[in-house]
Amino acid sequence: IPFARIVLLFLLISGAFYILSFKNIRIARNDTSNSKVVLQQFANLNIKAEAFIVYDSTKKKVIYSKNEIAQLPLASLTKIMSTIVALDLTSENTIIDIPSNNKFNNANDKYSLVPGKWRLGDLLKLTLVASSNGGINIISDKISSLQEFLGGERHFVELMNKKARVLGLNQTYFLNESGLDIN
């Protein structure tokens, strides 16, 4: 349960950092009674996201959306699926060794991913909070080695895609473990 709270907190914090725009926004089809109220509540926001959904959990319906069925790369959510698969494969007490010869592309990774032995749970927490591509790359690489996957990290990504289907995320697919747009 503490790990689930961290994931939820991460989602809330990362969502708060997006500055969004209202181009191509629409009120959900079946919500005409509250349309003006909804518009007023969101009118002062500058939303620049390619897609989003505002869901009313009490009425169990979408009240505001933009491109809600578009398939877009979501790096932070990809790292969450990588975390789920990593924990499916091994314990959060598994030791992950970060070698000193890593050449991280991101300056944050260079300073936060200190070489040495890390408990998987701790490394996952840091990786999710920092949205660290280097951290999740190391995790998938090391777990792929521990599991002796023939396809290496590619097999890890296949497991992520299988997990998405098991969870009913039929429009979700992953190209890598970090979600870093490879195109």
Side-chain angles (χ1 to χ4, degrees), residues 8 11 14 18 20 23 28 32 39 44 65 72 75-76 81 101 110 112 130 166 168 171 174 181:
L8 180 59
L11 287 173
S14 63
Y18 282 101
L20 310 164
K23 202 171 171 187
T32 55
L39 283 172
N44 294 328
S65 65
L72 301 168
S76 297
M81 181 61 80
N101 62 349
K110 289 178 187 175
S112 61
V166 166
Q171 288 188 293
F174 303 100
D181 189 0

Side-chain angles (χ1 to χ4, degrees), residues 13 17 68 77 99 103-104 125 147-148 154 166 172 175:
I13 290 171
F17 282 109
E68 66 273 10
L77 295 178
K103 294 184 171 62
F104 297 113
K125 289 173 189 173
Q147 299 290 323
E148 298 179 358
R154 191 176 55 229
V166 166
T172 303
L175 301 175

